[in-house]
Amino acid sequence: MTAFDFDPPVSSVRDIVARALAEDVGLLGDLTSLAVIPVDANCRGRFVTRADGVLAGTAAATETFRQLDPTVEVVWLVVDGASIRAGDDLGTVSGPMRSILTGERTALNLLRHCSAIASLTNRFVLAAAGRTRILDTRKTTPGLRALEKAAVRAGGGSNHRESLSDAVLIKDNHLVACDLGEAIERARTRWPGRLVECECDTLDQVGAARAAGADRILVDNMSPEAVKEAIQLLEGAIPVEVSGNVSLETIGAYAAVEPDFVSVGAITYSAGHLDLALDFD
Amino acid sequence: MTAFDFDPPVSSVRDIVARALAEDVGLLGDLTSLAVIPVDANCRGRFVTRADGVLAGTAAATETFRQLDPTVEVVWLVVDGASIRAGDDLGTVSGPMRSILTGERTALNLLRHCSAIASLTNRFVLAAAGRTRILDTRKTTPGLRALEKAAVRAGGGSNHRESLSDAVLIKDNHLVACDLGEAIERARTRWPGRLVECECDTLDQVGAARAAGADRILVDNMSPEAVKEAIQLLEGAIPVEVSGNVSLETIGAYAAVEPDFVSVGAITYSAGHLDLALDFD
Amino acid sequence: MTAFDFDPPVSSVRDIVARALAEDVGLLGDLTSLAVIPVDANCRGRFVTRADGVLAGTAAATETFRQLDPTVEVVWLVVDGASIRAGDDLGTVSGPMRSILTGERTALNLLRHCSAIASLTNRFVLAAAGRTRILDTRKTTPGLRALEKAAVRAGGGSNHRESLSDAVLIKDNHLVACDLGEAIERARTRWPGRLVECECDTLDQVGAARAAGADRILVDNMSPEAVKEAIQLLEGAIPVEVSGNVSLETIGAYAAVEPDFVSVGAITYSAGHLDLALDFD
Amino acid sequence: MTAFDFDPPVSSVRDIVARALAEDVGLLGDLTSLAVIPVDANCRGRFVTRADGVLAGTAAATETFRQLDPTVEVVWLVVDGASIRAGDDLGTVSGPMRSILTGERTALNLLRHCSAIASLTNRFVLAAAGRTRILDTRKTTPGLRALEKAAVRAGGGSNHRESLSDAVLIKDNHLVACDLGEAIERARTRWPGRLVECECDTLDQVGAARAAGADRILVDNMSPEAVKEAIQLLEGAIPVEVSGNVSLETIGAYAAVEPDFVSVGAITYSAGHLDLALDFD
Amino acid sequence: MTAFDFDPPVSSVRDIVARALAEDVGLLGDLTSLAVIPVDANCRGRFVTRADGVLAGTAAATETFRQLDPTVEVVWLVVDGASIRAGDDLGTVSGPMRSILTGERTALNLLRHCSAIASLTNRFVLAAAGRTRILDTRKTTPGLRALEKAAVRAGGGSNHRESLSDAVLIKDNHLVACDLGEAIERARTRWPGRLVECECDTLDQVGAARAAGADRILVDNMSPEAVKEAIQLLEGAIPVEVSGNVSLETIGAYAAVEPDFVSVGAITYSAGHLDLALDFD
Amino acid sequence: MTAFDFDPPVSSVRDIVARALAEDVGLLGDLTSLAVIPVDANCRGRFVTRADGVLAGTAAATETFRQLDPTVEVVWLVVDGASIRAGDDLGTVSGPMRSILTGERTALNLLRHCSAIASLTNRFVLAAAGRTRILDTRKTTPGLRALEKAAVRAGGGSNHRESLSDAVLIKDNHLVACDLGEAIERARTRWPGRLVECECDTLDQVGAARAAGADRILVDNMSPEAVKEAIQLLEGAIPVEVSGNVSLETIGAYAAVEPDFVSVGAITYSAGHLDLALDFD
């Protein structure tokens, strides 16, 4: 098995883990382990889950121990993207006890954060019942986007824009010096071949955006009924993305009208931690 | 007003923002603004809150625009740590429109994340009604600890360990080669003057930890009643810290028995975003 | 005028210039200037061009002097993207002579490199006479992609993929485990909304790629005649991109058959330097 | 074989490759390979050359795959500095297909750029027929100097200044506050033991520079005849370096008068790419 | 043996060594070895000491060679913290000669610096004869604090503050807006659980600091007699730290009155180098 | 006055200071100032010296405050390289008190370290009485070489090699595969125009090195008498550098025989701190 079994780019994982360890280990080291644990003590910990969900972030957890001490061995029984049930064993970490205790918190912070995102994403995906696709947004944690977008994929969601460099998304705010038609024209001229999406707040705007040649419509803060009308209006000509504080309570109603996408910022910014732990034998 | 009005260390803010912008701007830039917004267009946005809470993260939001374009001016009407009510104006950002739209998401991601932590912390602090102090933990987002710990302070909480380098915290796992008394002895020998805290799961352990000379007791996953007993047992000799999945529902009961501290990992890892936005005139 | 008058993202410019200066100044500094130039000597240099072309890279040149010494003033008479003629004055740099001589080479290396790319791109653009659009590729200089892609835009070209993260491009090599149809299906499932382009070496493949649902066809190493047939075959259903060692000699023939795009790696990797210099009064 | 078989310093190679990969892989990863290539697919590619030249940059190409995936194996049949002929096999890369396809472009960009520099350098070296030595300049690509100067050596050229820290080179511009004699004196006083070279545009200046005690004369933009006179004037007392837009057409004429050195900025800045590729079995 | 046998945090060691090598190797490499030593030459060097002292810094020396060339093997006969005598063999380094000669100076600079700190610390520790504990200060070399504080521990000393983030230390300068009592109160309110130490120049201040509730008294620039009085005044209620240019000549007199701690900035900033070398067979 | 009044390269100063501040400020900030000093308190400190010596490091001290808080103003009364006497005022820092107290230690650590090097260098220079020149070595503190070499210059010394990239220095260890003559030949072939220095332990070697064409002789660990013989032997043909634990006690005797250079590692590695402080009004 190679580093590429894990989705997030290896150099992103490497950098994120290096910063996380520098931050948590400090300049002196793990005072407690250095004082109390013999240099030659070894141990074995089991990654376990105390909650149901979807696993993600194993590459980052593995990298944490690798950077601290290459002699630590991490073995996963479950891969990113797998459903896990409270009580499941997820994998093991074994080797020098000092290294393992020093890395425990950083590895868990990363694993719990990523798994929470994958799990919450998956709840949206399941609630959508295949009638729409769940997208993330750019509302990610600064510095962790590569990990978080990989976790969204592990949870069955898909990735919207990687960054501002990757597609055009025209909102009302952008129309200060030209109308929508000219804005789309400018975007196509400057960035040919890029997706040009237009945010619409009303059905009128939806019609205008279609007429102006948008590649995708983002209907923002509309009711499911309004979304349904927008979809009918568009007649399948271009895809529709629903956005605007969609929750687990409302995703079903939106999915029922079958937009192409529902983008949900909350899957990255409000996922919290999945209750995973490291149990020692 | 100087950079030191804002709590988090300026170099941490600088590094976090630089990484966040590199990540979100990408190699090409903000395609939409570059295509649609005239170079000489200016605008003014107001930071507003759509939810009640406590503000934090203004230094990072300001730094975001400063790094993109020093001609952008950011003015805050409210400072970190202030209570804010849905509908409040928080401040303004004005200057070249391209720069402001390019930085909007990054600034908001930082501001919403920090303010959510301050707000959730503050809810715990209010629920504790002055009978105990709320501490954070090391369960912070990798790479953002400096910002998050400052947000906890803005919310009225206090900071537990900065890193593994900063105090000794002995748990069961550490006692593989010696008993608690010897572990404390080793810690004092190696790290004189450092706080030595001991995690206890039972009253027996509490008594043993006191006898062994701990500086503070961390009672983990005990009921409020058991915590009360632990406090009585210790007779005020050393401070008591309660930990273990304390929630807004249970904090009141724990605070009622008046431990010195309650540490709550959730204030940093499960705060999500506070609903702040940038409204354009 | 703000930092955003210049296309490349400011943080990319900042990082590239910082590395370039560290590399060229070394640990001791500019031995010659430190020894020979009085601390209080000032001077004024004029950026001039000794060749015709298109200017690019001014943001990087300005940033070079700014990082060395904020008291140096750089004023441009011409902006990125403008046509320049041998003998033109492009701008001035004035201030402490030591700082200016120390930064001269780094600023010129950046400016000459970017302007060469803009100029060569522009020659392709002019030769295409509006019948097709010129795209760059991922054959950029490692570490300089943000600057080089901005220079391509300054020259009238457009940007193909920013990175591997940004669109799907299926080549023969990718079809080891599935046929093209399934490959496109997999790509759409995993990366919805992303452009899926397919490289084709034969007309048969072109037909197959269209049938399989590709968003764009990349015809590789075909003659203009074959490209013409491909275009006819596709009946305008999807755009066509020509690639494969297209040169200034052949671009006209390709443009004549009016493919949507011609991508030319050489505009970034073989541009060399445009002959710009800094003349002192 | 150790890392030191390859000329450029290992830490330069490591940093350059890390930046190149971060730039090309992006935050999501190689969309195409992740979607289409099975995790367990392996492949083997052969580095081949489609042009004659001199190989360089193998250390950087190897490092590219090593950083992506340590299980990829790279084997070279030819070493940096060897002459290669169109059609030659240069080496192989084998291992997980995803990793190899993800790294292909970055590895080739580095290898093609370095080999082009080595090859162009070598053409100058051959044209000089041993009658002079070919030097590079500080006109290198920002961020890549370590690789490019190693490529020059691979091509049979030699390195001029590493940076501004490494030798004194006095030009007309420097003589604002003192004459040449005093400038040399100041340089010797401040930087004893460093080479002091003086740029001369006329034979008068050559004589003056010699009289003033220069260690080496740089004759700038002189004809071969003038260079010959300069050499005669100096009577072998100090070495002569020719510079100023020397080309493959003119190098022979300059070499014929046997200056000690000819420095050619074009060998680094105008080399382009050598046509190397990775062919898959 | 694992990376954690060595005290300083591995990521600090990695970063410090990477910077040191970049600085010393430069952009061209070790000119001498590259020119003179055959690629396939191997050698074996012995680390030896020409002075008595205490060893420290082995992790950094090992890391130096590991970063240059993973095939180099470093074996230590003595561990950090061990007493060494002039003439002792400390360990060996073997492998490719070029790599070993290139890394020699950097490895020795680190090893000699750390060992000098450990050795000087140890002289203070021995002179204190167990009657007080020797602490370091924040007067460390910028960028090397993690290594230097580890070397202090290797020498038998202990670490005072890791950084400004780690304990409160109130000096006269801080009392601009409130008296000592209020300052301590503010510190406890803002940073609960942190050590609050007060610097005192007079016995009156010592009494006041105790009354105000300080956790530790730092008596600055007092004579041993005055320190003795301070200790008597405090009756063991809180620990006493002596500071202020304590030297090897005076440490005995201070230790004789048995303060809890003596902090000595000189152990880090004036240690110089211990005379260690690498001898080749 | 511009940044270039100060010798060390600005980007080196910037990087060194950024690392130093991150290290000393930590993740929470200056606990003491944040708790005790009002946000709006201002102060003014005077840099004073309590010892005689030579000032250096002012650029780094200024940069420290600039990075923390651009509103802090630093004014120097004395420049790097000036002789200072105990009691002298050196300059002032004024502005927000929190910022000044937070930066005080870092600024002083840098200033005291650099000034100590300048001062010790200057003692050697004075002891040499103009009969030889004092050189530094590569025995510098890892990460601080740019500052330390500038401090040597401020003290009246000169810089030997910047790094391994900058001159050839052949020692016995290098002669494993060829004799000295061939080694010099190889060095000249590979690195034309670079200084080739040969280390000699005996007069025989001195003669051999001259005969082999060395550019400079480094006589290592010879007595002043032997050095005198070496100089006579060389008849002024090439410069002589003395090295090998030369001290303030012995420098006079070596200078008396008038070698061209004496290199002294101790001026950088054993200088310690000069007793400078910041006094508040």
Side-chain angles (χ1 to χ4, degrees), chain B residues 72-88:
Chain B
V72 171
E73 192 180 10
V74 180
V75 177
W76 294 100
L77 305 171
V78 186
V79 297
D80 279 23
S83 287
I84 54 179
R85 306 286 303 228
D88 283 357

mmCIF file with all atom_site columns, all heavy atoms in Angstrom, chain B residues 72-88:
data_model
loop_
_atom_site.group_PDB
_atom_site.id
_atom_site.type_symbol
_atom_site.label_atom_id
_atom_site.label_alt_id
_atom_site.label_comp_id
_atom_site.label_asym_id
_atom_site.label_entity_id
_atom_site.label_seq_id
_atom_site.pdbx_PDB_ins_code
_atom_site.Cartn_x
_atom_site.Cartn_y
_atom_site.Cartn_z
_atom_site.occupancy
_atom_site.B_iso_or_equiv
_atom_site.pdbx_formal_charge
_atom_site.auth_seq_id
_atom_site.auth_comp_id
_atom_site.auth_asym_id
_atom_site.auth_atom_id
_atom_site.pdbx_PDB_model_num
ATOM 1   N N   . VAL B 1 72 ? -6.443  48.965 1.563  1.00 0.00 ? 72 VAL B N   1
ATOM 2   C CA  . VAL B 1 72 ? -7.766  48.677 2.135  1.00 0.00 ? 72 VAL B CA  1
ATOM 3   C C   . VAL B 1 72 ? -7.767  49.134 3.595  1.00 0.00 ? 72 VAL B C   1
ATOM 4   O O   . VAL B 1 72 ? -6.800  48.900 4.329  1.00 0.00 ? 72 VAL B O   1
ATOM 5   C CB  . VAL B 1 72 ? -8.074  47.170 2.055  1.00 0.00 ? 72 VAL B CB  1
ATOM 6   C CG1 . VAL B 1 72 ? -9.341  46.835 2.839  1.00 0.00 ? 72 VAL B CG1 1
ATOM 7   C CG2 . VAL B 1 72 ? -8.211  46.739 0.600  1.00 0.00 ? 72 VAL B CG2 1
ATOM 8   N N   . GLU B 1 73 ? -8.854  49.772 4.004  1.00 0.00 ? 73 GLU B N   1
ATOM 9   C CA  . GLU B 1 73 ? -8.941  50.245 5.382  1.00 0.00 ? 73 GLU B CA  1
ATOM 10  C C   . GLU B 1 73 ? -10.015 49.471 6.138  1.00 0.00 ? 73 GLU B C   1
ATOM 11  O O   . GLU B 1 73 ? -11.144 49.347 5.673  1.00 0.00 ? 73 GLU B O   1
ATOM 12  C CB  . GLU B 1 73 ? -9.272  51.745 5.408  1.00 0.00 ? 73 GLU B CB  1
ATOM 13  C CG  . GLU B 1 73 ? -9.091  52.350 6.784  1.00 0.00 ? 73 GLU B CG  1
ATOM 14  C CD  . GLU B 1 73 ? -9.417  53.837 6.801  1.00 0.00 ? 73 GLU B CD  1
ATOM 15  O OE1 . GLU B 1 73 ? -9.964  54.329 5.787  1.00 0.00 ? 73 GLU B OE1 1
ATOM 16  O OE2 . GLU B 1 73 ? -9.130  54.495 7.803  1.00 0.00 ? 73 GLU B OE2 1
ATOM 17  N N   . VAL B 1 74 ? -9.639  48.954 7.279  1.00 0.00 ? 74 VAL B N   1
ATOM 18  C CA  . VAL B 1 74 ? -10.577 48.201 8.110  1.00 0.00 ? 74 VAL B CA  1
ATOM 19  C C   . VAL B 1 74 ? -10.761 48.958 9.419  1.00 0.00 ? 74 VAL B C   1
ATOM 20  O O   . VAL B 1 74 ? -9.782  49.326 10.072 1.00 0.00 ? 74 VAL B O   1
ATOM 21  C CB  . VAL B 1 74 ? -10.047 46.780 8.396  1.00 0.00 ? 74 VAL B CB  1
ATOM 22  C CG1 . VAL B 1 74 ? -11.042 46.010 9.260  1.00 0.00 ? 74 VAL B CG1 1
ATOM 23  C CG2 . VAL B 1 74 ? -9.770  46.039 7.095  1.00 0.00 ? 74 VAL B CG2 1
ATOM 24  N N   . VAL B 1 75 ? -11.991 49.214 9.777  1.00 0.00 ? 75 VAL B N   1
ATOM 25  C CA  . VAL B 1 75 ? -12.301 49.920 11.025 1.00 0.00 ? 75 VAL B CA  1
ATOM 26  C C   . VAL B 1 75 ? -13.294 49.092 11.826 1.00 0.00 ? 75 VAL B C   1
ATOM 27  O O   . VAL B 1 75 ? -14.318 48.664 11.291 1.00 0.00 ? 75 VAL B O   1
ATOM 28  C CB  . VAL B 1 75 ? -12.927 51.306 10.725 1.00 0.00 ? 75 VAL B CB  1
ATOM 29  C CG1 . VAL B 1 75 ? -13.323 52.005 12.030 1.00 0.00 ? 75 VAL B CG1 1
ATOM 30  C CG2 . VAL B 1 75 ? -11.956 52.169 9.933  1.00 0.00 ? 75 VAL B CG2 1
ATOM 31  N N   . TRP B 1 76 ? -12.973 48.870 13.068 1.00 0.00 ? 76 TRP B N   1
ATOM 32  C CA  . TRP B 1 76 ? -13.867 48.070 13.918 1.00 0.00 ? 76 TRP B CA  1
ATOM 33  C C   . TRP B 1 76 ? -14.628 48.979 14.880 1.00 0.00 ? 76 TRP B C   1
ATOM 34  O O   . TRP B 1 76 ? -14.052 49.869 15.499 1.00 0.00 ? 76 TRP B O   1
ATOM 35  C CB  . TRP B 1 76 ? -13.055 47.029 14.702 1.00 0.00 ? 76 TRP B CB  1
ATOM 36  C CG  . TRP B 1 76 ? -12.442 46.028 13.788 1.00 0.00 ? 76 TRP B CG  1
ATOM 37  C CD1 . TRP B 1 76 ? -11.161 45.999 13.339 1.00 0.00 ? 76 TRP B CD1 1
ATOM 38  C CD2 . TRP B 1 76 ? -13.109 44.920 13.170 1.00 0.00 ? 76 TRP B CD2 1
ATOM 39  N NE1 . TRP B 1 76 ? -10.973 44.940 12.478 1.00 0.00 ? 76 TRP B NE1 1
ATOM 40  C CE2 . TRP B 1 76 ? -12.159 44.258 12.355 1.00 0.00 ? 76 TRP B CE2 1
ATOM 41  C CE3 . TRP B 1 76 ? -14.415 44.414 13.204 1.00 0.00 ? 76 TRP B CE3 1
ATOM 42  C CZ2 . TRP B 1 76 ? -12.467 43.138 11.603 1.00 0.00 ? 76 TRP B CZ2 1
ATOM 43  C CZ3 . TRP B 1 76 ? -14.719 43.281 12.455 1.00 0.00 ? 76 TRP B CZ3 1
ATOM 44  C CH2 . TRP B 1 76 ? -13.757 42.654 11.647 1.00 0.00 ? 76 TRP B CH2 1
ATOM 45  N N   . LEU B 1 77 ? -15.901 48.711 14.990 1.00 0.00 ? 77 LEU B N   1
ATOM 46  C CA  . LEU B 1 77 ? -16.733 49.436 15.957 1.00 0.00 ? 77 LEU B CA  1
ATOM 47  C C   . LEU B 1 77 ? -16.796 48.681 17.274 1.00 0.00 ? 77 LEU B C   1
ATOM 48  O O   . LEU B 1 77 ? -17.210 49.217 18.294 1.00 0.00 ? 77 LEU B O   1
ATOM 49  C CB  . LEU B 1 77 ? -18.160 49.588 15.406 1.00 0.00 ? 77 LEU B CB  1
ATOM 50  C CG  . LEU B 1 77 ? -18.253 50.252 14.030 1.00 0.00 ? 77 LEU B CG  1
ATOM 51  C CD1 . LEU B 1 77 ? -19.670 50.161 13.479 1.00 0.00 ? 77 LEU B CD1 1
ATOM 52  C CD2 . LEU B 1 77 ? -17.814 51.715 14.166 1.00 0.00 ? 77 LEU B CD2 1
ATOM 53  N N   . VAL B 1 78 ? -16.416 47.464 17.238 1.00 0.00 ? 78 VAL B N   1
ATOM 54  C CA  . VAL B 1 78 ? -16.544 46.569 18.383 1.00 0.00 ? 78 VAL B CA  1
ATOM 55  C C   . VAL B 1 78 ? -15.206 45.848 18.521 1.00 0.00 ? 78 VAL B C   1
ATOM 56  O O   . VAL B 1 78 ? -14.556 45.584 17.515 1.00 0.00 ? 78 VAL B O   1
ATOM 57  C CB  . VAL B 1 78 ? -17.668 45.530 18.124 1.00 0.00 ? 78 VAL B CB  1
ATOM 58  C CG1 . VAL B 1 78 ? -17.908 44.696 19.368 1.00 0.00 ? 78 VAL B CG1 1
ATOM 59  C CG2 . VAL B 1 78 ? -18.946 46.228 17.697 1.00 0.00 ? 78 VAL B CG2 1
ATOM 60  N N   . VAL B 1 79 ? -14.795 45.560 19.728 1.00 0.00 ? 79 VAL B N   1
ATOM 61  C CA  . VAL B 1 79 ? -13.501 44.885 19.909 1.00 0.00 ? 79 VAL B CA  1
ATOM 62  C C   . VAL B 1 79 ? -13.706 43.425 20.292 1.00 0.00 ? 79 VAL B C   1
ATOM 63  O O   . VAL B 1 79 ? -14.791 43.030 20.736 1.00 0.00 ? 79 VAL B O   1
ATOM 64  C CB  . VAL B 1 79 ? -12.652 45.592 20.993 1.00 0.00 ? 79 VAL B CB  1
ATOM 65  C CG1 . VAL B 1 79 ? -12.315 47.014 20.561 1.00 0.00 ? 79 VAL B CG1 1
ATOM 66  C CG2 . VAL B 1 79 ? -13.348 45.570 22.340 1.00 0.00 ? 79 VAL B CG2 1
ATOM 67  N N   . ASP B 1 80 ? -12.653 42.663 20.132 1.00 0.00 ? 80 ASP B N   1
ATOM 68  C CA  . ASP B 1 80 ? -12.689 41.270 20.556 1.00 0.00 ? 80 ASP B CA  1
ATOM 69  C C   . ASP B 1 80 ? -13.143 41.194 22.014 1.00 0.00 ? 80 ASP B C   1
ATOM 70  O O   . ASP B 1 80 ? -12.677 41.942 22.878 1.00 0.00 ? 80 ASP B O   1
ATOM 71  C CB  . ASP B 1 80 ? -11.291 40.652 20.462 1.00 0.00 ? 80 ASP B CB  1
ATOM 72  C CG  . ASP B 1 80 ? -10.949 40.215 19.052 1.00 0.00 ? 80 ASP B CG  1
ATOM 73  O OD1 . ASP B 1 80 ? -11.535 40.741 18.098 1.00 0.00 ? 80 ASP B OD1 1
ATOM 74  O OD2 . ASP B 1 80 ? -10.079 39.341 18.916 1.00 0.00 ? 80 ASP B OD2 1
ATOM 75  N N   . GLY B 1 81 ? -14.045 40.299 22.281 1.00 0.00 ? 81 GLY B N   1
ATOM 76  C CA  . GLY B 1 81 ? -14.503 40.113 23.656 1.00 0.00 ? 81 GLY B CA  1
ATOM 77  C C   . GLY B 1 81 ? -15.820 40.809 23.941 1.00 0.00 ? 81 GLY B C   1
ATOM 78  O O   . GLY B 1 81 ? -16.439 40.559 24.985 1.00 0.00 ? 81 GLY B O   1
ATOM 79  N N   . ALA B 1 82 ? -16.266 41.656 23.048 1.00 0.00 ? 82 ALA B N   1
ATOM 80  C CA  . ALA B 1 82 ? -17.530 42.366 23.267 1.00 0.00 ? 82 ALA B CA  1
ATOM 81  C C   . ALA B 1 82 ? -18.706 41.470 22.893 1.00 0.00 ? 82 ALA B C   1
ATOM 82  O O   . ALA B 1 82 ? -18.629 40.674 21.961 1.00 0.00 ? 82 ALA B O   1
ATOM 83  C CB  . ALA B 1 82 ? -17.570 43.637 22.424 1.00 0.00 ? 82 ALA B CB  1
ATOM 84  N N   . SER B 1 83 ? -19.787 41.637 23.619 1.00 0.00 ? 83 SER B N   1
ATOM 85  C CA  . SER B 1 83 ? -21.019 40.932 23.265 1.00 0.00 ? 83 SER B CA  1
ATOM 86  C C   . SER B 1 83 ? -21.651 41.633 22.072 1.00 0.00 ? 83 SER B C   1
ATOM 87  O O   . SER B 1 83 ? -21.679 42.857 22.004 1.00 0.00 ? 83 SER B O   1
ATOM 88  C CB  . SER B 1 83 ? -22.006 40.966 24.434 1.00 0.00 ? 83 SER B CB  1
ATOM 89  O OG  . SER B 1 83 ? -21.559 40.096 25.439 1.00 0.00 ? 83 SER B OG  1
ATOM 90  N N   . ILE B 1 84 ? -22.127 40.834 21.151 1.00 0.00 ? 84 ILE B N   1
ATOM 91  C CA  . ILE B 1 84 ? -22.760 41.405 19.958 1.00 0.00 ? 84 ILE B CA  1
ATOM 92  C C   . ILE B 1 84 ? -24.140 40.782 19.805 1.00 0.00 ? 84 ILE B C   1
ATOM 93  O O   . ILE B 1 84 ? -24.386 39.661 20.246 1.00 0.00 ? 84 ILE B O   1
ATOM 94  C CB  . ILE B 1 84 ? -21.905 41.174 18.695 1.00 0.00 ? 84 ILE B CB  1
ATOM 95  C CG1 . ILE B 1 84 ? -21.577 39.683 18.505 1.00 0.00 ? 84 ILE B CG1 1
ATOM 96  C CG2 . ILE B 1 84 ? -20.614 41.975 18.792 1.00 0.00 ? 84 ILE B CG2 1
ATOM 97  C CD1 . ILE B 1 84 ? -20.751 39.372 17.268 1.00 0.00 ? 84 ILE B CD1 1
ATOM 98  N N   . ARG B 1 85 ? -25.061 41.566 19.199 1.00 0.00 ? 85 ARG B N   1
ATOM 99  C CA  . ARG B 1 85 ? -26.436 41.097 19.026 1.00 0.00 ? 85 ARG B CA  1
ATOM 100 C C   . ARG B 1 85 ? -26.755 41.038 17.543 1.00 0.00 ? 85 ARG B C   1
ATOM 101 O O   . ARG B 1 85 ? -26.302 41.867 16.768 1.00 0.00 ? 85 ARG B O   1
ATOM 102 C CB  . ARG B 1 85 ? -27.406 42.087 19.684 1.00 0.00 ? 85 ARG B CB  1
ATOM 103 C CG  . ARG B 1 85 ? -27.138 42.405 21.145 1.00 0.00 ? 85 ARG B CG  1
ATOM 104 C CD  . ARG B 1 85 ? -27.524 41.251 22.017 1.00 0.00 ? 85 ARG B CD  1
ATOM 105 N NE  . ARG B 1 85 ? -28.936 40.916 21.799 1.00 0.00 ? 85 ARG B NE  1
ATOM 106 C CZ  . ARG B 1 85 ? -29.802 40.717 22.783 1.00 0.00 ? 85 ARG B CZ  1
ATOM 107 N NH1 . ARG B 1 85 ? -29.409 40.829 24.052 1.00 0.00 ? 85 ARG B NH1 1
ATOM 108 N NH2 . ARG B 1 85 ? -31.038 40.388 22.505 1.00 0.00 ? 85 ARG B NH2 1
ATOM 109 N N   . ALA B 1 86 ? -27.550 40.074 17.184 1.00 0.00 ? 86 ALA B N   1
ATOM 110 C CA  . ALA B 1 86 ? -27.958 39.918 15.782 1.00 0.00 ? 86 ALA B CA  1
ATOM 111 C C   . ALA B 1 86 ? -28.382 41.276 15.236 1.00 0.00 ? 86 ALA B C   1
ATOM 112 O O   . ALA B 1 86 ? -29.200 41.959 15.839 1.00 0.00 ? 86 ALA B O   1
ATOM 113 C CB  . ALA B 1 86 ? -29.093 38.915 15.667 1.00 0.00 ? 86 ALA B CB  1
ATOM 114 N N   . GLY B 1 87 ? -27.822 41.638 14.113 1.00 0.00 ? 87 GLY B N   1
ATOM 115 C CA  . GLY B 1 87 ? -28.156 42.908 13.504 1.00 0.00 ? 87 GLY B CA  1
ATOM 116 C C   . GLY B 1 87 ? -27.121 43.989 13.757 1.00 0.00 ? 87 GLY B C   1
ATOM 117 O O   . GLY B 1 87 ? -27.105 45.007 13.060 1.00 0.00 ? 87 GLY B O   1
ATOM 118 N N   . ASP B 1 88 ? -26.239 43.757 14.714 1.00 0.00 ? 88 ASP B N   1
ATOM 119 C CA  . ASP B 1 88 ? -25.222 44.770 15.013 1.00 0.00 ? 88 ASP B CA  1
ATOM 120 C C   . ASP B 1 88 ? -24.259 44.975 13.851 1.00 0.00 ? 88 ASP B C   1
ATOM 121 O O   . ASP B 1 88 ? -23.862 44.022 13.180 1.00 0.00 ? 88 ASP B O   1
ATOM 122 C CB  . ASP B 1 88 ? -24.372 44.347 16.220 1.00 0.00 ? 88 ASP B CB  1
ATOM 123 C CG  . ASP B 1 88 ? -25.092 44.564 17.547 1.00 0.00 ? 88 ASP B CG  1
ATOM 124 O OD1 . ASP B 1 88 ? -26.225 45.084 17.530 1.00 0.00 ? 88 ASP B OD1 1
ATOM 125 O OD2 . ASP B 1 88 ? -24.506 44.201 18.579 1.00 0.00 ? 88 ASP B OD2 1
#
